[in-house]
């Protein structure tokens, strides 16, 4: 279904609908400076333009791709200055890829720890539950060890 064309100035609600970004998120982006503040009508309502929609779409898409707001701010600074190079954008993107790889490694370690903890659970109806015990621990469960859950608890 085709969307109706936007007027030159439109409301935050229309911007929200067109961009699929929540109104409160749009306000937040304005507050932290990744979205420029719009002009205001005589009655004080925000008046957005197609440029706002374009920028908000860029931010939303960047967030979908996992860029942090700081990374997007850096990309937007390059764009706003109109002196960005593809090499600079590539460098920021490769930094983002390195961050993604680190998160994947962290998640794999987390998966191993949680699988190990779950394997120690007998699933019987007893008050001694290793999964609950781990959640109550003040320090993190060590990773990369072959000791059983009970051995880790008694050595702690």
């Amino acid at each position: 279904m085709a969307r109706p064309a936007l007027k030159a100035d439109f409301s935050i609600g229309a911007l929200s609908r067109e961009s699929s970004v929540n109104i409160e998120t749009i306000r937040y982006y304005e507050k932290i400076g990744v979205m420029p503040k719009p002009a205001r009508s005589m009655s004080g309502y925000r008046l957005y333009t197609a440029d706002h929609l374009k920028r908000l779409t860029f931010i939303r898409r960047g967030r979908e791709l996992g860029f942090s707001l700081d990374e997007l701010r850096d990309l937007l600074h390059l764009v706003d200055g109109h002196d960005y190079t593809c090499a600079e954008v590539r460098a920021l993107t490769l930094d983002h890829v390195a961050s993604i790889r680190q998160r994947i490694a962290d998640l794999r370690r987390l998966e191993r720890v949680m699988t190990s903890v779950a394997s120690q659970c007998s699933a019987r109806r007893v008050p001694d539950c290793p999964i609950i015990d781990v959640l109550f621990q003040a320090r993190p469960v060590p990773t990369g060890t072959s000791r059983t859950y009970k051995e880790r608890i008694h050595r702690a």
Side-chain angles (χ1 to χ4, degrees):
M1 177 166 106
R3 292 184 175 174
L6 294 173
K7 301 180 295 184
D9 293 320
F10 52 99
S11 70
I12 195 168
L15 180 66
S16 176
R17 282 188 301 278
E18 289 297 315
S19 66
S20 299
V21 175
N22 182 289
I23 290 172
E24 291 304 316
T25 303
I26 295 168
R27 289 182 182 137
Y28 174 70
Y29 289 164
E30 289 173 18
K31 181 179 176 183
I32 65 169
V34 293
M35 279 289 291
K37 298 215 184 276
R40 297 250 182 191
S41 70
M42 294 292 282
S43 55
Y45 290 103
R46 292 173 168 93
L47 298 174
Y48 295 93
T49 66
D51 286 340
H52 286 101
L53 176 59
K54 184 176 178 181
R55 187 176 187 99
L56 189 56
T57 300
F58 178 93
I59 295 166
R60 181 185 48 79
R61 184 67 181 129
R63 297 293 286 151
E64 288 171 353
L65 293 172
F67 283 99
S68 70
L69 288 173
D70 285 337
E71 290 169 326
L72 287 170
R73 186 178 284 113
D74 290 343
L75 287 169
L76 288 166
H77 282 308
L78 290 173
V79 172
D80 291 344
H82 304 289
D83 59 353
Y84 65 97
T85 67
C86 191
E88 291 170 308
V89 173
R90 181 178 188 271
L92 286 169
T93 301
L94 290 176
D95 286 347
H96 179 60
V97 169
S99 173
I100 290 169
R101 287 183 177 142
Q102 182 60 54
R103 282 185 279 170
I104 290 169
D106 291 346
L107 286 170
R108 285 187 175 133
R109 275 192 297 280
L110 179 59
E111 178 186 31
R112 285 191 301 272
V113 168
M114 294 306 297
T115 299
S116 173
V117 169
S119 72
Q120 302 301 314
C121 183
S122 66
R124 287 180 272 160
R125 297 185 73 180
V126 295
D128 183 26
C129 177
I131 297 170
I132 298 298
D133 292 344
V134 165
L135 294 173
F136 276 113
Q137 280 185 350
R139 59 184 147 161
V141 175
T143 58
T145 177
S146 60
R147 293 185 305 209
T148 67
Y149 167 79
K150 295 274 186 197
E151 291 170 328
R152 288 193 302 264
I153 293 296
H154 291 296
R155 294 190 77 165

